[in-house]
Amino acid sequence: MLGCVSRTPTRVLIADDQDLVRAGFRLILDAQEGIEVVGEAADGLACVELARALRPDVCMVDVRMPKLDGLEVTRLLAGPGATHPTRVVVVTSFDQDDYLNVALRNGACGFLLKDAAPALLVEAVRAAARGDALVSPAVTLRLLKQLERASAPADDACDPESALSARELDVARLVAVGRTNQEISDELCLSLSTVKTHLGHIHHKLGVRNRVEVAAWAWANGAVRMGH
């Protein structure tokens, strides 16, 4: 049997208190090759219980849900104390700015707006499954404006130029403005494997787990600013 035929699909659990949202996400994801929706939950408590029972590769978690909100669900499934860490993509809306930093601290590896295009939803799942992260551009903009404002006078901020090499800093800046690995490769005239190597070095030097945290570091330490 060929490996491409027998490859295990990415298993996804969808958690949202709105039936139509869950149904829509399921239709989009189940239509994709290599992705399988294995369960749905209408509240946060059910999501945690199902995730622990089904052990999906990725959980799509709404922020506002009964019993447990998506932020607490994220902490329980993806936070430092999680027994079997699960990759969580948080689904939010434009007015949820104050939730984003908490979700990041709680271990989320992606953020999406509920009105995201189907292609973005699919890519977020694929990114999470491979240990990467994807953030909706509009969410990125709002989150990073907050980080820039909060970090302006920090005395203990890290000097980006001493923390990373010049090329690593170039890569981190592009990650911070939402570029994919391929876009970074094209913009810096580097091979895709070289970009991945630089990202690995960045993760190690900064002690971060994914590109969402790389972006947070870059904005919090002044490596990139709005309008640049």
Side-chain angles (χ1 to χ4, degrees), residues 21-175:
V21 172
R22 295 198 311 275
F25 284 179
R26 177 183 277 275
L27 282 172
I28 292 167
L29 296 175
D30 271 343
Q32 304 302 312
E33 183 177 358
I35 296 178
E36 176 188 3
V37 176
V38 295
E40 296 182 22
D43 64 70
L45 185 58
C47 175
V48 172
E49 291 173 347
L50 269 178
R52 289 172 174 170
L54 299 175
R55 304 283 287 277
D57 300 301
V58 179
C59 288
M60 302 287 300
V61 176
D62 184 23
V63 171
R64 292 185 174 178
M65 292 188 292
K67 299 185 180 179
L68 286 177
D69 67 32
L71 302 178
E72 181 63 9
V73 168
T74 301
R75 186 186 69 79
L76 292 171
L77 295 181
T83 305
H84 300 290
T86 303
R87 288 159 182 160
V88 175
V89 175
V90 172
V91 183
T92 185
S93 55
F94 274 124
D95 63 343
Q96 306 299 323
D97 293 346
D98 56 328
Y99 294 157
L100 299 179
N101 286 326
V102 177
L104 178 60
R105 288 197 301 271
N106 286 357
C109 67
F111 297 103
L112 281 185
L113 298 178
K114 278 196 175 181
D115 60 357
L120 197 62
L121 177 71
V122 172
E123 182 52 32
V125 169
R126 295 197 192 282
R130 62 178 180 259
D132 211 332
L134 185 147
V135 182
S136 287
V139 174
T140 303
L141 183 64
R142 298 171 76 87
L143 170 63
L144 299 182
K145 278 182 178 177
Q146 288 183 347
L147 287 171
E148 183 181 31
R149 287 196 300 270
S151 67
D155 294 329
D156 59 349
C158 174
D159 176 9
E161 293 185 3
S162 65
L164 302 176
S165 71
R167 185 52 91 191
E168 289 164 355
L169 195 52
D170 289 339
V171 172
R173 284 170 173 151
L174 291 176
V175 168

Side-chain angles (χ1 to χ4, degrees), residues 140 144 147 172 175-178 210-220 224:
T140 303
L144 299 182
L147 287 171
V175 168
V177 294
N210 55 53
R211 64 200 301 127
V212 177
E213 293 182 359
V214 172
W217 174 89
W219 285 90
V224 62

Side-chain angles (χ1 to χ4, degrees), residues 191-212:
S191 70
L192 199 54
S193 63
T194 299
V195 172
K196 291 178 180 177
T197 297
H198 283 314
L199 278 170
H201 292 161
I202 292 167
H203 289 181
H204 177 72
K205 288 182 177 181
L206 301 182
V208 300
R209 296 168 297 176
N210 55 53
R211 64 200 301 127
V212 177

